[in-house]
Short mmCIF file of all heavy atoms in Angstrom, two decimals:
data_model
loop_
_atom_site.label_atom_id
_atom_site.label_comp_id
_atom_site.label_asym_id
_atom_site.label_seq_id
_atom_site.Cartn_x
_atom_site.Cartn_y
_atom_site.Cartn_z
N ALA A 116 -3.49 -6.92 46.74
CA ALA A 116 -2.70 -7.20 45.54
C ALA A 116 -1.33 -6.55 45.73
O ALA A 116 -1.21 -5.50 46.36
CB ALA A 116 -3.38 -6.67 44.28
N ARG A 117 -0.32 -7.18 45.20
CA ARG A 117 1.05 -6.70 45.39
C ARG A 117 1.62 -6.21 44.06
O ARG A 117 1.37 -6.79 43.00
CB ARG A 117 1.92 -7.82 45.96
CG ARG A 117 3.38 -7.42 46.24
CD ARG A 117 4.18 -8.65 46.65
NE ARG A 117 3.76 -9.15 47.93
CZ ARG A 117 4.26 -8.75 49.10
NH1 ARG A 117 5.21 -7.83 49.13
NH2 ARG A 117 3.83 -9.28 50.22
N ALA A 118 2.42 -5.15 44.15
CA ALA A 118 3.18 -4.66 42.98
C ALA A 118 4.58 -4.30 43.45
O ALA A 118 4.76 -3.76 44.55
CB ALA A 118 2.50 -3.44 42.36
N GLU A 119 5.55 -4.58 42.60
CA GLU A 119 6.95 -4.32 42.97
C GLU A 119 7.70 -3.77 41.77
O GLU A 119 7.43 -4.16 40.63
CB GLU A 119 7.61 -5.61 43.46
CG GLU A 119 9.07 -5.42 43.87
CD GLU A 119 9.67 -6.71 44.41
OE1 GLU A 119 10.08 -7.55 43.58
OE2 GLU A 119 9.72 -6.86 45.63
N TYR A 132 4.34 8.25 44.09
CA TYR A 132 4.94 7.00 43.62
C TYR A 132 4.19 5.79 44.21
O TYR A 132 3.89 4.82 43.50
CB TYR A 132 6.41 6.96 44.00
CG TYR A 132 7.13 5.70 43.57
CD1 TYR A 132 7.01 5.22 42.26
CD2 TYR A 132 7.93 5.00 44.45
CE1 TYR A 132 7.67 4.07 41.87
CE2 TYR A 132 8.59 3.85 44.07
CZ TYR A 132 8.45 3.38 42.77
OH TYR A 132 9.11 2.24 42.37
N LEU A 133 3.87 5.86 45.50
CA LEU A 133 3.13 4.76 46.14
C LEU A 133 1.75 4.63 45.53
O LEU A 133 1.24 3.51 45.35
CB LEU A 133 3.04 4.99 47.64
CG LEU A 133 4.36 4.93 48.42
CD1 LEU A 133 4.10 5.16 49.90
CD2 LEU A 133 5.07 3.60 48.19
N LEU A 136 2.06 2.75 42.28
CA LEU A 136 2.26 1.32 42.49
C LEU A 136 0.97 0.65 42.95
O LEU A 136 0.67 -0.48 42.53
CB LEU A 136 3.36 1.10 43.54
CG LEU A 136 4.81 1.29 43.08
CD1 LEU A 136 5.77 1.04 44.25
CD2 LEU A 136 5.15 0.35 41.93
N ALA A 137 0.21 1.33 43.81
CA ALA A 137 -1.05 0.75 44.29
C ALA A 137 -2.03 0.56 43.14
O ALA A 137 -2.70 -0.47 43.03
CB ALA A 137 -1.66 1.64 45.37
N ALA A 140 -1.03 -2.41 41.17
CA ALA A 140 -1.37 -3.66 41.85
C ALA A 140 -2.85 -4.00 41.69
O ALA A 140 -3.22 -5.15 41.44
CB ALA A 140 -1.01 -3.56 43.34
N VAL A 157 -3.03 1.74 50.33
CA VAL A 157 -1.81 0.97 50.55
C VAL A 157 -1.84 0.40 51.96
O VAL A 157 -1.98 1.14 52.94
CB VAL A 157 -0.56 1.85 50.35
CG1 VAL A 157 0.71 1.07 50.71
CG2 VAL A 157 -0.49 2.34 48.91
N ASN A 159 0.70 -1.85 53.21
CA ASN A 159 2.07 -1.74 53.72
C ASN A 159 3.05 -1.58 52.57
O ASN A 159 2.71 -1.83 51.40
CB ASN A 159 2.44 -2.92 54.63
CG ASN A 159 2.27 -4.25 53.94
OD1 ASN A 159 2.95 -4.53 52.95
ND2 ASN A 159 1.36 -5.08 54.43
N VAL A 160 4.27 -1.15 52.91
CA VAL A 160 5.30 -0.83 51.92
C VAL A 160 6.62 -1.49 52.33
O VAL A 160 6.99 -1.46 53.51
CB VAL A 160 5.51 0.70 51.83
CG1 VAL A 160 6.60 1.03 50.81
CG2 VAL A 160 4.21 1.41 51.48
N ASN A 161 7.30 -2.07 51.36
CA ASN A 161 8.64 -2.59 51.58
C ASN A 161 9.62 -1.76 50.75
O ASN A 161 9.38 -1.50 49.57
CB ASN A 161 8.76 -4.04 51.14
CG ASN A 161 8.17 -5.00 52.16
OD1 ASN A 161 7.30 -4.63 52.93
ND2 ASN A 161 8.65 -6.24 52.16
N VAL A 178 11.21 -1.41 45.52
CA VAL A 178 10.07 -0.90 46.29
C VAL A 178 8.84 -1.74 45.93
O VAL A 178 8.55 -1.96 44.75
CB VAL A 178 9.78 0.59 45.97
CG1 VAL A 178 8.61 1.09 46.82
CG2 VAL A 178 11.03 1.43 46.22
N SER A 179 8.14 -2.21 46.96
CA SER A 179 6.92 -2.97 46.73
C SER A 179 5.82 -2.48 47.66
O SER A 179 6.10 -1.98 48.76
CB SER A 179 7.14 -4.47 46.94
OG SER A 179 7.44 -4.76 48.30
N VAL A 180 4.59 -2.61 47.20
CA VAL A 180 3.45 -2.24 48.03
C VAL A 180 2.45 -3.39 48.03
O VAL A 180 2.35 -4.15 47.06
CB VAL A 180 2.74 -0.96 47.53
CG1 VAL A 180 3.70 0.21 47.47
CG2 VAL A 180 2.06 -1.19 46.19
N VAL A 181 1.74 -3.51 49.13
CA VAL A 181 0.55 -4.35 49.18
C VAL A 181 -0.62 -3.39 49.23
O VAL A 181 -0.78 -2.63 50.19
CB VAL A 181 0.55 -5.27 50.41
CG1 VAL A 181 -0.78 -6.03 50.50
CG2 VAL A 181 1.71 -6.26 50.35
N ALA A 182 -1.41 -3.38 48.16
CA ALA A 182 -2.56 -2.50 48.07
C ALA A 182 -3.82 -3.28 48.42
O ALA A 182 -3.85 -4.51 48.37
CB ALA A 182 -2.67 -1.91 46.67
#
Side-chain angles (χ1 to χ4, degrees):
R117 182 186 293 270
E119 180 178 82
Y132 180 49
L133 294 181
L136 283 179
V157 174
N159 56 63
V160 179
N161 282 25
V178 182
S179 65
V180 303
V181 174

